[in-house]
Amino acid sequence: MDSNKRPDTMERITTPELANAFIDEQVAAVKAQVGDKKVLLALSGGVDSSVVAALLIKAIGKQLVCVHVNHGLMRKGESEQVIEVFQNQLDANLIYIDATDRFLDLLAGVDAPEKKRKIIGGEFIKVFDEEASKLEGISFLAQGTIYPDILESDGVKAHHNVGGLPEDMQFELVEPVKLLYKDEVRVVGKALGLPAEMVDRQPFPGPGLGVRCLGAITRDRLNALREADAILREEFDIAGLNQTVWQYFIAVPDMKSVGVRNDKRYEGWPAIIRAVNTTDAMSATIEEIPYALLHKITARITAEVEGINRVLYDLTPKPVGTIEWE
Ligand code: XMP
């Protein structure tokens, strides 16, 4: 039987009961596969790798070694949440690497989007590889491959994602959710006790804020973007839009306009709000955000975020605009 083919008889996991049955089955399967050997996992904090981590912690506890690489392009609070949930709450064997300087130094002055992606993806593999080579006795590599990855990209985890792993790593793979669709992975994650904000997260590109800090990334503009994005997410949470809007974020272009604060003119960047609905990311429509909320977000971002003096709302559907700006 092809282990990469979902059997026609496999029931869709929609309830906690079905999720628990799946978890029991996979815990047994992982134990049988791994025995007393060690397993390595790149834990980004995204839905898929988080669910795999929680499942493997349940199956093999400290035999799992999670490596979280902070590339400095995470959203506000994301790496902290990975540490809180996996190290503090689930007592995981977690190695945290703050590689912010490495990434930002390499990216300095680079403004071409695909070049930025290449640098981020390449450096991620390097950092992960270096860390893996320091560890002894690792026999397996766990991955958060899900069924659409198998169907759409020959089993390569999110082919244009950062988080792709070194191709020459000589480990046997452990892929406990590879036959599940995304909605099923979320149900399993909840049954494993992961927090809703982790399991229901909107999609986040592998290169992270790197493709939203448009053009050549600078630390001050990246910080402004991160703070403005956190305000947008907070306000969407309060308004309940996090439940209905597929993807929403801020982009900050590398340009300034004149503003006025405390009777003084000064230059600042605009923050661009993008909020789209889609089912497959191939096309997207624009969410109608209530004006009162747009005003509130504008007031907060311009008052609270150093360097931002305008807020714009991108009304362009896909096509013609892509979801990300670069
Ligand atoms: P676009 O901008 O192409 O985005 O309309 C479609 C979806 O893909 C995500 N995206 C990426 N995801 N690495 C990723 O992992 C990338 O380089 C990348 N670029 C875009 C985007 O966030 C949206 O969900």
Side-chain angles (χ1 to χ4, degrees), residues 114 117 158 160-162 203-207 211-212 246-247 249 280-282 318 321-326:
E114 291 314 315
R117 280 189 171 80
H160 67 172
N161 210 338
V162 173
F204 185 56
V211 290
R212 298 177 180 170
W246 196 78
Q247 199 172 13
F249 57 87
D280 57 7
M282 301 300 286
K318 177 180 179 178
T322 45
I323 295 176
E324 302 291 344
W325 267 55
E326 45 176 49

Side-chain angles (χ1 to χ4, degrees), residues 83-125:
I83 293 170
E84 171 55 30
V85 170
F86 289 98
Q87 191 159 293
N88 301 350
Q89 294 176 21
L90 297 178
D91 195 26
N93 212 340
L94 174 71
I95 298 171
Y96 170 70
I97 303 162
D98 184 352
T100 302
D101 287 339
R102 278 179 72 158
F103 281 84
L104 295 189
D105 288 351
L106 276 177
L107 287 164
V110 180
D111 59 3
E114 291 314 315
K115 195 155 177 223
K116 288 164 70 175
R117 280 189 171 80
K118 261 215 166 92
I119 290 174
I120 298 166
E123 193 62 10
F124 181 90
I125 289 176

Side-chain angles (χ1 to χ4, degrees), residues 295-326:
H295 283 303
K296 186 174 176 207
I297 291 168
T298 303
R300 278 198 62 193
I301 290 178
T302 50
E304 295 173 33
V305 183
E306 169 103 23
I308 303 259
N309 65 356
R310 282 173 204 270
V311 176
L312 314 178
Y313 187 31
D314 181 354
L315 288 170
T316 321
K318 177 180 179 178
V320 284
T322 45
I323 295 176
E324 302 291 344
W325 267 55
E326 45 176 49

Side-chain angles (χ1 to χ4, degrees), residues 76 209 221-235 249-252 270-273 297 300-302 304-306 308 310-311:
K76 189 170 179 177
L209 300 182
R221 197 158 49 87
L222 179 63
N223 284 338
L225 161 62
R226 186 177 284 119
E227 293 301 322
D229 186 71
I231 292 172
L232 179 80
R233 288 194 288 139
E234 200 180 311
E235 291 299 332
F249 57 87
I250 297 282
V252 177
I272 300 162
I273 301 174
I297 291 168
R300 278 198 62 193
I301 290 178
T302 50
E304 295 173 33
V305 183
E306 169 103 23
I308 303 259
R310 282 173 204 270
V311 176

Side-chain angles (χ1 to χ4, degrees), residues 143-169:
Q143 289 201 133
T145 312
I146 66 172
Y147 206 42
D149 299 325
I150 290 177
L151 295 179
E152 289 160 22
S153 41
D154 295 332
V156 178
K157 175 77 199 152
H159 58 296
H160 67 172
N161 210 338
V162 173
L165 294 171
E167 277 171 14
D168 56 354
M169 271 196 168

